[in-house]
Amino acid sequence: QGLAVAFRAESFGVPHLNDVFAPHGFRLDGLRALAALHPRKWIWIESVERLLEKSERHAFMDLMRLVADDPSWRLILTCRDYQVEAVKSAMFGSVGLDFVPIATPRLTDPELNEVARQLPPLATPLGVPRLRELLRNLFFLEKAATLNWSPGAALPHDERSFREKVWRDAIRRDDQPAEGMPQKRS
C-alpha cells in the first residue's frame, strides 16, 4: 500500500541526488512523479554509518531535507549500534527530522528453529550451543547463511573462530584462488 525503495549508504556519497538515481535510469523529478500517487513512501538505506567515512555526502543531506519537507515519506536507516550517536550528531542535527532508534532484538529459540527449518544447512551451526547464542544476532546469522556448513567439517567453537571462518570463506574466499583474488579481497 505504498512505494518503497532501498539503497546502500555508499550510493549517497556523491554531490547530488541525481547522481544516486541516474544508474537506475531516473532523476529526482522522476522519483517525485512516481511517488506522487502513493500516500505512503519509504526509503530504506542500509549501513548508513558508512557515509561517515565519505568526505562527500551532499546527496544524502539533500535526501534528508526532501524527506523533512514531505511528511508522507519515511526514512528507515540501518546502522551498527556503536555508530548510532555519531550518525545522529553528524546527519540529523541540521535537517529537523525526528530520530527514533530501534534496536533489533536477539532472535528467540522459536525464531532460530524456523531459520533452521527454512535453511537446512544452518541446522548444523544452530545445533551447537555456543554458535546458537552467537547466531541470535542478525548480523552473524546473515553471515552464517553465506557459509558452507559441510557435514563433518570442523565447526567454529566461539566468536573468534566464527569470524575467522567468515573472513576465510565469505570475504577472502580462499576456495577461489585464481589471480591471487583472496589476497586482493583481503
Side-chain angles (χ1 to χ4, degrees), residues 161-179:
S161 60
F162 176 78
R163 285 180 181 270
E164 288 169 356
K165 180 173 179 59
V166 168
W167 182 257
R168 184 181 59 249
D169 297 353
I171 297 170
R172 282 182 51 102
R173 295 193 313 228
D174 288 345
D175 62 327
Q176 298 175 13
E179 299 178 27

Side-chain angles (χ1 to χ4, degrees), residues 62-139:
D62 289 344
L63 175 72
M64 298 279 280
R65 284 187 275 286
L66 178 113
V67 169
D69 291 342
D70 183 346
S72 66
W73 282 100
R74 294 291 180 259
L75 190 57
I76 302 167
L77 308 173
T78 66
C79 178
R80 293 186 179 170
D81 60 353
Y82 61 85
Q83 292 281 28
V84 169
E85 286 306 314
V87 166
K88 182 179 178 181
S89 65
M91 299 179 190
F92 280 82
S94 64
V95 293
L97 285 175
D98 290 333
F99 178 88
V100 181
I102 301 170
T104 305
R106 293 172 56 81
L107 295 173
T108 63
D109 280 330
E111 290 168 329
L112 288 177
N113 293 340
E114 181 63 17
V115 167
R117 191 179 73 70
Q118 295 284 331
L119 299 171
L122 287 180
T124 300
L126 286 170
V128 177
R130 286 187 118 172
L131 286 178
R132 186 176 184 86
E133 283 308 305
L134 187 62
L135 298 180
R136 290 181 190 282
N137 176 303
L138 285 172
F139 176 79

